[in-house]
Amino acid sequence: MIQVGNKIPESILTYIPYDPELKDACGIPQPLNTDEDWKDKKVVLFGLPGAFTPTCSLQHLPEYAQRYKEFKDKGVDLIVCLSTTDAFVMDAWGRSLGVKDKVLMVADGNGDFVKDTGLVLDLSAKRMGAIRSQRFAMVIDHLKVTYLGVEPGGGLTVSGASAVLAHL
């Protein structure tokens, strides 16, 4: 598993840029290259097992959007939510919760990022897929991990916005 001090692996993720003009229409997925797009940034990245799931929708994602200004005040350039689904699902989920451009909703559709970082969660026994993301949060500063919190079980003890803010 990736550790504090490691460089994040280069990954190509996808997202649909926030567009307030799009109401019910879908935007066009865009590639995001972690090495190129995050090289000069402080990024708070949090991963979760699934979009539209109870803990993820009711607690994890909303808290990051609600505390956006606190992250910005601590020098964070970008807050990113990652899940192993497609960019259309991530976009629809973000719009349904009204996160707007506060949180970049990113898809790791093939699970490459979670595989390369060792953050895969196998939920095949629950019929939810073998390649899901563990619930985690990391702070990435100029591509280096400065904080990593991987949830040991249910709940938001180390990956919620409060825990990450305490480490910034």
Side-chain angles (χ1 to χ4, degrees), residues 44 46 54-73 79-81 94 96-105 156 160-162 165:
V44 169
F46 65 102
T55 301
C56 304
S57 291
L58 298 174
Q59 298 171 21
H60 210 176
L61 175 55
E63 185 185 15
Y64 277 94
Q66 291 161 0
R67 300 188 77 179
Y68 171 80
K69 185 173 179 339
E70 292 174 70
F71 282 102
K72 286 298 193 178
D73 290 347
I79 303 170
V80 180
C81 176
S96 76
L97 293 177
V99 301
K100 299 183 180 176
D101 59 352
K102 293 178 180 175
V103 178
L104 184 62
M105 304 298 289
L156 297 172
S162 296
L165 282 164

Side-chain angles (χ1 to χ4, degrees), residues 7 29-30 49-50 52 65 69 74 76 82 93 104 106 121 128 133 138 155 163-164:
K7 179 191 175 291
Q30 302 294 313
F52 293 104
K69 185 173 179 339
K74 292 196 174 223
V76 172
L82 175 142
W93 186 35
L104 184 62
V106 172
L121 177 63
M128 294 176 66
S133 174
M138 68 173 71
V164 175

Side-chain angles (χ1 to χ4, degrees), residues 112-133:
D112 295 333
F113 184 85
V114 295
K115 286 187 266 187
D116 291 346
T117 56
L119 292 166
V120 171
L121 177 63
D122 182 346
L123 292 176
S124 57
K126 295 182 179 182
R127 306 289 233 205
M128 294 176 66
I131 301 176
R132 301 285 267 209
S133 174

Side-chain angles (χ1 to χ4, degrees), residues 37-43 77-78 140-143:
D37 296 325
W38 296 350
K39 68 182 174 187
D40 296 323
K41 291 185 171 57
K42 182 183 272 189
V43 177
D77 297 300
L78 194 59
I140 304 162
D141 195 351
H142 294 80
L143 302 178

Side-chain angles (χ1 to χ4, degrees), residues 3-4 7 11 14 25 28 31 34 36 46 59 86 97 125 155 167:
Q3 301 292 317
V4 169
K7 179 191 175 291
S11 294
T14 57
I28 299 170
T34 55
E36 293 173 16
F46 65 102
Q59 298 171 21
D86 63 70
L97 293 177
H167 284 89

